[in-house]
Amino acid sequence: MKTKNMLRRALLCAVVVAAASAAVAQEPAFPAKPIRIIVPYVPGGTTDLLARVVGQQLSERLGQPVLVENRPGVNGMIGADAVAKAAPDGYTLGIASPGTHAANATLYKNVSYDTLKDFTPITLAVSAPMILVANPSLNAKTVKDVIAAAKADPGGIAYASGGSGSSQHLAMEQFTHMAGIRMTHVAYKGSSNSYTDLLGGRVKLEFDVLPTAMPHVRSGKLLALATASAKRLPQLPDVPTVAESGVPGYEATSWYGFVGPAGMPRPVLDKLHAEIVRALQQPQVAETLTKAGVLIVGSSPAEFGSFIRSETEKARKVIEDAGIKPD
């Protein structure tokens, strides 16, 4: 009887193992269906470009369509929330930015997601250097000219940004705080929407990323006064940094990376990370992004997670020091 029971148990174990193996064998390899990348801003910007050029490479490498979906609103919160609430199976990704994954945590009282707990960081894809541009009617050719004009007329100079808590807004508030000056903020729904007024002289200044600002600098309609980077940019070797122009220690940048919902399986995360970084390194992708004025990074998931935490703290300090409120 004992021998029979042992045989039954052995047979039962064999059946269970065989069934589990069959289930694993039947489970399709990732990805087995289209992947969606949610961009939390309007089409045409740097985030949109990043998603589309990387998405095309992913589609070719993974053999599945990669669809880009723009879901703008509330400083990127609508799109980020959609990513956070998606199934953590690797089929929904999102673009993280200084707004969605740094500023919003402090700027809004009721953020519908937790920046640090509700996402799986995949990679910091690119950093986007910013420059300070001015309308010629301001009669300022240097950062020191801007500081002098602002001190002579506190609050009298209006500057533009892509919205309260945007990277453009935080860069200027950090600048005014460190320079000891006061100017008036005029928020727009996206920095591209500010250029009608900036070119017309109704607002005088703006920090913005190179892809958006440089066409107007090249046309002569705006002046490039300084870069917000720690070092001079190779694209603008004759334009000084803000730090070397009278505000020591100043540095601000925009950045964009890929995230997924929290709880993504490690094999899926590893595959997505490897393929996205590989896509960023492809010559045609690198050329497109470099021409657009961004610098390719391609960090590890752990590095990106640490970066988001540090950027969240940096944004919190700027927002609280400046008393920034939502639009």
Side-chain angles (χ1 to χ4, degrees):
M1 181 65 70
K2 186 174 182 181
T3 302
K4 288 182 179 180
N5 288 337
M6 290 177 65
L7 287 173
R8 288 194 190 99
R9 285 197 293 270
L11 180 60
L12 180 60
C13 288
V15 170
V16 171
V17 170
S21 299
V24 171
Q26 291 174 1
E27 185 176 331
F30 176 85
K33 61 182 181 179
I35 294 172
R36 178 177 58 152
I37 301 177
I38 294 179
V39 176
Y41 301 105
V42 297
T46 306
T47 50
D48 189 65
L49 174 66
L50 174 65
R52 292 182 190 280
V53 296
V54 170
Q56 182 179 350
Q57 284 292 316
L58 288 180
S59 180
E60 294 175 4
R61 290 276 308 175
L62 298 175
Q64 291 290 344
V66 176
L67 312 174
V68 175
E69 180 181 335
N70 296 88
R71 300 192 62 177
V74 198
N75 204 31
M77 195 187 303
I78 291 174
D81 181 70
V83 176
K85 289 180 170 53
D89 52 12
Y91 290 102
T92 298
L93 309 178
I95 301 293
S97 72
T100 61
H101 283 72
N104 285 354
T106 301
L107 186 63
Y108 295 94
K109 292 182 178 179
N110 298 309
V111 181
S112 54
Y113 55 83
D114 187 304
T115 302
L116 302 178
K117 295 180 180 179
D118 292 343
F119 298 91
T120 298
I122 300 174
T123 186
L124 173 60
V126 298
S127 64
M130 292 193 287
I131 58 173
L132 177 61
V133 293
N135 186 284
S137 65
L138 183 60
N139 292 320
K141 294 184 178 180
T142 67
V143 167
K144 289 183 178 180
D145 291 341
V146 172
I147 294 173
K151 286 184 175 180
D153 185 15
I157 298 174
Y159 74 88
S161 86
S164 292
S166 64
S167 56
Q168 299 93 350
H169 185 198
L170 297 187
M172 187 64 83
E173 287 295 342
Q174 183 181 346
F175 168 71
T176 58
H177 178 75
M178 293 179 69
I181 58 177
R182 183 165 58 88
M183 294 192 288
T184 298
H185 176 222
V186 181
Y188 295 83
K189 293 182 178 180
S191 67
S192 59
N193 292 329
S194 70
Y195 278 82
T196 298
D197 285 351
L198 184 59
L199 295 173
R202 287 175 285 280
V203 290
K204 303 296 185 182
L205 293 161
E206 184 166 4
F207 272 107
D208 208 354
V209 293
L210 296 184
T212 311
M214 281 308 297
H216 305 293
V217 173
R218 293 191 185 102
S219 71
K221 294 179 180 178
L222 295 177
L223 301 176
L225 303 186
T227 69
S229 50
K231 298 179 180 180
R232 293 195 183 198
L233 301 175
Q235 302 95 323
L236 298 166
D238 297 327
V239 177
T241 66
V242 173
E244 66 181 304
S245 301
V247 189
Y250 179 89
E251 182 183 358
T253 187
S254 194
W255 51 266
Y256 310 106
F258 287 86
V259 295
M264 285 173 55
R266 189 72 207 194
V268 172
L269 171 59
D270 289 344
K271 187 165 189 176
L272 285 169
H273 173 262
E275 293 297 345
I276 290 172
V277 171
R278 185 176 287 112
L280 290 168
Q281 294 170 346
Q282 295 303 303
Q284 61 269 41
V285 173
E287 181 180 5
T288 298
L289 294 175
T290 301
K291 282 185 176 179
V294 299
L295 306 176
I296 295 171
V297 181
S299 70
S300 71
E303 288 169 338
F304 191 26
S306 296
F307 179 82
I308 289 173
R309 285 191 290 274
S310 66
E311 288 294 297
T312 300
E313 178 58 26
K314 186 188 298 182
R316 181 196 65 77
K317 187 175 188 311
V318 174
I319 290 169
E320 291 181 350
D321 287 347
I324 297 173
K325 303 297 181 183
D327 295 333

